[in-house]
Amino acid sequence: MDIFGLFLTFLILTTQNIRPVSCAANKSSAHLLHDTLMKIDDYNKKIRPVLDVTKPTVINVSLALLSLVEFNEVVERLTVTGKLKISWTDDYLMWDPRAFGGVTSISIPQDDIWRPDLALENSITKFRDLGAPSMFIRVTHDGTCLWKPMEVFQSTCSANVVHYPYDMHTCCLTFESWTHSDGELQLINTLQEIDLQEYEGQPQWTVIYTKAERMVLGKDEYVVFCLSLKRQALQIMLNVILPIALLSFLSSCVFILPASCGEKASFSVTVFLSLCVFLTIVSEQLPKTADKLSIFNVYVFTQVIIATLVTLSTLIQIRLYHRDDHRKVHSWFQCLFIRRPATPNTNMVEDFKPYAHSDSTEDIADMDADSVKNCPHEHVTWREVARRLDPVLFVTYTSANVGISLALIVWSIAAPRG
């Protein structure tokens, strides 16, 4: 029994120590490589990793746009989600793959090695490092380091809203190194445009053009990524411009009601207040820029003026309608606005005599008085005047509303962008 017990114990211990040979070799090679590269005495992540300090470290940068979160033209803020692709060469992270079991690359936490201190120069948030402690940098045996930090970038973007809602904007993301200068880092854009292969699209804005370029100002180097945005105007037309135009037309329809209608004044005031309330709600969504005034803001202001004039005209018309009938309507007013075809009057034709040629001012004055006196019209009252004003005012204000609305659309579409 003792011999059997010893044999069983030996068999169990031997079985527990068995490991797959290939896996043990790969794991031990990766661990050995990591321990060799990360020796504290040989590597300092706070110092630029070059053997010759007179040579700059070339930093290749590209940007892949993942999503356009928001472009707020009111506060001039652009928010996008993007993935930077940054690569450089680390002279201290090189090895011979044959000495480490054929391992050609290794992933190292970003906080364990040197990396360029790139930051968004035109950010509206406080400065912070790119990436996160949980992210890794892929290092190959020739010293090439590849880092792909993904961030939500918030940058400033000057908005030109003159042609709102058919406006276009160009926004840029500018990256630079905060601490390295005097040619220590050389920033290079690897692509001539922003990578849009993973872009998801945005319902309000369309990306129509992108570019990437390197910019040098003095001793500072920048990599600039720009994208041009065009607004989707259909939603604005249906939700904003069309309701305003309809309310303005509805205010002109007050002249369809007869002047004797007691609700005419209340209808006009109600439509005017409805338009003002709607414009108050809409104004919160309109761009507010001090240097450039939007054509749409001018359109809204003009519609408010027209609605005010419609209300004033309605009140004056009602005042004329209720005027005392004993007050005579002026002859010139009757001739200009209230003329009617008079019934044939043979006596008028028989009594007509041509004026004799005379150069005296008295004869000319008598001729003008007789012209007004003989103006073919019937006797009218102020109520008739008020009724005759309805079609004139309706056509006038309706034509003004239609003309202004069409002018807004033509100007916004056809006018050249700045």
Side-chain angles (χ1 to χ4, degrees):
M1 293 297 294
D2 295 338
I3 296 175
F4 179 76
L6 292 174
F7 176 76
L8 182 60
T9 303
F10 174 78
L11 182 61
I12 294 174
L13 294 176
T14 304
T15 304
Q16 291 179 348
N17 291 329
I18 294 178
R19 296 289 187 275
V21 177
S22 59
C23 292
N26 290 337
K27 184 176 181 180
S28 61
S29 297
H31 280 196
L32 179 61
L33 175 60
H34 182 273
D35 295 340
T36 302
L37 295 177
M38 295 291 101
K39 286 183 180 180
I40 300 178
D41 297 338
D42 296 338
Y43 190 88
N44 191 340
K45 65 179 182 180
K46 298 180 181 180
I47 301 177
R48 189 166 59 95
V50 291
L51 298 177
D52 186 359
V53 295
T54 61
K55 296 181 179 180
T57 300
V58 179
I59 309 296
N60 300 301
V61 186
S62 64
L63 175 64
L65 184 64
L66 302 181
S67 65
L68 175 59
V69 180
E70 179 192 25
F71 175 56
N72 192 328
E73 66 275 14
V74 178
V75 297
E76 298 186 334
R77 180 184 64 221
L78 174 68
T79 305
V80 298
T81 301
K83 180 173 61 177
L84 287 171
K85 185 178 180 180
I86 307 172
S87 63
W88 66 95
T89 300
D90 194 319
D91 294 344
Y92 293 98
L93 299 180
M94 298 181 179
W95 69 90
D96 185 0
R98 295 174 296 178
F100 296 94
V103 178
T104 58
S105 63
I106 186 175
S107 296
I108 301 176
Q110 70 170 33
D111 291 342
D112 292 348
I113 64 175
W114 181 91
R115 64 184 189 277
D117 55 341
L118 296 182
L120 185 61
E121 188 267 343
N122 58 338
S123 175
I124 63 175
T125 59
K126 66 179 182 180
F127 168 77
R128 65 182 185 88
D129 293 338
L130 294 176
S134 59
M135 296 189 64
F136 287 80
I137 298 177
R138 194 68 180 177
V139 183
T140 57
H141 66 281
D142 59 353
T144 301
C145 301
L146 180 59
W147 184 30
K148 296 181 179 180
M150 185 174 65
E151 295 284 346
V152 177
F153 300 105
Q154 291 187 340
S155 66
T156 59
C157 180
S158 179
N160 184 357
V161 295
V162 173
H163 303 286
Y164 178 89
Y166 295 93
D167 49 338
M168 297 172 57
H169 308 272
T170 299
C171 301
C172 297
L173 301 174
T174 304
F175 293 91
E176 68 167 338
S177 173
W178 283 104
T179 58
H180 295 84
S181 59
D182 298 334
E184 293 181 345
L185 299 184
Q186 184 178 357
L187 303 181
I188 302 295
N189 55 296
T190 55
L191 300 177
Q192 299 302 316
E193 58 185 12
I194 298 176
D195 186 3
L196 299 178
Q197 294 183 359
E198 303 178 59
Y199 178 61
E200 299 178 354
Q202 217 268 358
Q204 187 177 359
W205 299 95
T206 301
V207 179
I208 60 176
Y209 174 74
T210 65
K211 70 175 181 178
E213 61 181 355
R214 176 174 177 260
M215 185 172 59
V216 179
L217 296 177
K219 297 182 180 180
D220 298 326
E221 297 188 10
Y222 305 88
V223 175
V224 183
F225 301 96
C226 297
L227 62 159
S228 296
L229 306 176
K230 181 180 179 180
R231 188 191 301 273
Q232 297 288 348
L234 181 60
Q235 183 179 3
I236 305 297
M237 293 293 295
L238 295 178
N239 297 335
V240 179
I241 297 181
L242 184 59
I244 292 177
L246 292 178
L247 282 175
S248 300
F249 173 74
L250 189 61
S251 66
S252 301
C253 291
V254 68
F255 300 110
I256 297 178
L257 298 175
S260 59
C261 180
E263 300 296 329
K264 190 168 186 175
S266 60
F267 176 83
S268 177
V269 175
T270 301
V271 174
F272 174 75
L273 294 178
S274 300
L275 181 62
C276 292
V277 172
F278 181 79
L279 295 180
T280 302
I281 299 175
V282 172
S283 63
E284 298 178 357
Q285 305 175 2
L286 297 180
K288 299 177 179 62
T289 55
D291 53 344
K292 297 179 180 180
L293 183 63
S294 171
I295 300 299
F296 182 73
N297 287 341
V298 177
Y299 170 76
V300 171
F301 180 71
T302 304
Q303 291 292 5
V304 173
I305 293 178
I306 292 179
T308 303
L309 294 177
V310 168
T311 304
L312 291 177
S313 300
T314 302
L315 298 178
I316 294 175
Q317 184 186 18
I318 295 176
R319 175 63 179 175
L320 293 177
Y321 181 82
H322 292 284
R323 206 168 191 179
D324 191 358
D325 291 338
H326 297 290
R327 300 187 63 175
K328 183 180 179 181
V329 179
H330 299 290
S331 300
W332 63 268
F333 191 82
Q334 298 182 35
C335 291
L336 291 178
F337 298 100
I338 320 297
R339 292 188 63 175
R340 289 183 178 180
T343 56
N345 189 348
T346 56
N347 295 332
M348 182 181 298
V349 177
E350 294 176 355
D351 295 341
F352 175 77
K353 295 181 180 180
Y355 289 97
H357 177 72
S358 176
D359 295 333
S360 64
T361 57
E362 295 180 357
D363 293 338
I364 296 177
D366 293 340
M367 182 178 64
D368 293 339
D370 292 340
S371 299
V372 175
K373 181 178 179 180
N374 296 328
C375 183
H377 62 271
E378 297 180 354
H379 175 70
V380 295
T381 62
W382 285 109
R383 292 188 176 185
E384 182 68 17
V385 172
R387 284 194 292 265
R388 290 300 184 89
L389 286 177
D390 276 330
V392 176
L393 295 177
F394 175 77
V395 173
T396 300
Y397 288 118
T398 301
S399 302
N401 287 328
V402 174
I404 293 173
S405 300
L406 293 178
L408 170 70
I409 298 175
V410 173
W411 170 269
S412 300
I413 297 178
R417 271 57 174 170

